[in-house]
Amino acid sequence: MSEEPRLTPVADNVYAWIQPDGGWCLNNSGVVVGGDGAIVVDTAATVARAERLRAQVDAVAPGSARTLVNTHFHGDHTFGNAVFGPEAAIVAHAGTREEMAATGLALTGLWPDVEWGSVQLALPTVTYEERMTLHLGERRAELIHVGPAHTRNDTVVWLPEERVLFTGDVVLPGCTPFVLMGTVAGSLRALDELRALDPRTVIGGHGPVAGGEAFDATEAYLRWVQDLAAAGVARGLTALETARTADLGAYAALTDPERLVGNLHRARAELEDGELARPLDVAGIFQEMVEFNGGQLMTCRA
Ligand SMILES: [Zn+2]
């Protein structure tokens, strides 16, 4: 296992559970404690990692009623739901629940060597459409539907008093953004909405604790992808050829740079017809990301 996940205080009784280095399936969670309850924003990919998260929640909020929030359907954020037991309510956007049910445990097939444990899919028990407020004693957590952005249905969790924002994978500080299953243009719109909240602290779906500068970095990358996609189309290149001949510059230092291939496919689809987040051949495009990596499967340290 890579470096130990750690629970980092970001406000009074508010924590970010950070799993270094934030690469494939090493997601972050949030823990918000108040009244007799605790909100856990996203779980983890494997049973072992979710059990460690649950132990950390037990340590800072013993005996509390648990409300899980799933920011989107991806397994690294949701497979650990069942570890919190049937007594935990699981809240998500209605579309996220549908996507989770449709996708099931498919992610485990992508990295068969990962020790997933006996993952049980636990679907959201409470769904919402636009906004929802969770109350923990005096504390308030707002669930806001943004996007389509990273997926068709993304939720961010906003603590207005503490000005702490959990973004899910709409923002990935220090990591390569990934919009293959979402949209470039929609992500840019979502970033504007998040910026307007004016958070003091931003916890992305992966990567270290950040601030508002993470919005600017994400926007700059996505606009670069849009320009690169258009230039590649103009030169008659495929998405993979465009990625291979691109100068990644500083973006090469972000985790998982091969995501560029998926991001270019998405940007090109949007150039064609302007439609956001329409289904693409995800499995085929993952294969191209492997080709970009010289035939090596992307590294997943979960
Ligand atoms: Zn994701």
Side-chain angles (χ1 to χ4, degrees):
M1 200 177 261
S2 47
E3 196 184 329
E4 280 290 301
R6 51 179 188 268
L7 203 61
T8 307
V10 292
D12 183 33
N13 271 319
V14 182
Y15 305 87
W17 190 66
I18 302 292
Q19 297 198 86
D21 61 352
W24 290 106
C25 296
L26 292 179
N27 69 301
N28 297 331
S29 299
V31 182
V32 183
V33 185
D36 297 325
I39 297 168
V40 180
V41 183
D42 285 337
T43 55
T46 70
V47 169
R49 286 181 177 274
E51 284 174 344
R52 296 164 109 200
L53 169 63
R54 192 192 57 191
Q56 302 258 17
V57 177
D58 288 343
V60 295
S64 59
R66 308 283 156 79
T67 303
L68 311 182
V69 177
N70 289 151
T71 58
H72 62 293
F73 78 97
H74 288 156
D76 47 339
H77 298 258
T78 59
F79 283 174
N81 286 356
V83 164
F84 286 81
E87 65 276 20
I90 308 172
V91 184
H93 188 270
T96 294
R97 189 181 192 282
E98 284 173 25
E99 289 174 302
M100 275 176 73
T103 313
L105 302 178
L107 184 67
T108 60
L110 192 57
W111 283 286
D113 293 340
V114 166
E115 288 182 25
W116 297 96
S118 56
V119 176
Q120 307 284 328
L121 199 65
L123 294 176
T125 54
V126 181
T127 59
Y128 81 104
E129 295 282 348
E130 290 302 325
R131 278 179 98 109
M132 171 183 256
T133 305
L134 301 178
H135 297 270
L136 287 173
E138 296 294 303
R139 182 156 256 161
R140 203 153 47 97
E142 292 179 6
L143 277 52
I144 305 170
H145 170 50
V146 297
H150 171 67
T151 65
R152 300 175 74 87
N153 305 287
D154 296 288
T155 292
V156 302
V157 180
W158 169 233
L159 308 182
E161 304 299 330
E162 299 80 4
R163 312 203 71 73
V164 171
L165 181 67
F166 297 96
T167 67
D169 286 358
V170 177
V171 180
L172 300 170
C175 311
T176 306
F178 192 44
V179 293
L180 171 59
M181 286 165 263
T183 145
V184 186
S187 293
L188 288 167
R189 248 180 258 161
L191 286 170
D192 285 340
E193 286 179 58
L194 301 187
R195 230 185 235 116
L197 296 172
D198 192 24
R200 182 175 58 78
T201 307
V202 176
I203 296 105
H206 300 244
V209 175
E213 77 286 347
F215 302 145
D216 302 336
T218 307
E219 177 176 347
Y221 175 91
L222 292 174
R223 293 201 187 282
W224 173 71
V225 166
Q226 283 181 324
D227 290 346
L228 195 62
V233 170
R235 291 170 58 203
L237 302 179
T238 66
L240 181 57
E241 288 165 347
T242 306
R244 278 187 168 149
T245 53
D247 175 9
L248 271 67
Y251 300 132
L254 300 174
T255 61
D256 307 317
E258 66 274 4
R259 289 175 181 166
L260 175 59
V261 180
N263 293 334
L264 284 168
H265 271 284
R266 179 53 67 186
R268 290 164 69 107
E270 289 175 15
L271 276 174
E272 273 169 30
D273 58 13
E275 189 187 336
L276 304 187
R278 72 172 147 91
L280 294 180
D281 172 19
V282 169
I285 293 168
F286 263 89
Q287 195 50 47
E288 287 187 24
M289 288 160 57
V290 171
E291 285 178 47
F292 179 85
N293 273 349
Q296 294 290 313
L297 184 65
M298 291 80 79
T299 307
C300 174
R301 296 191 178 84

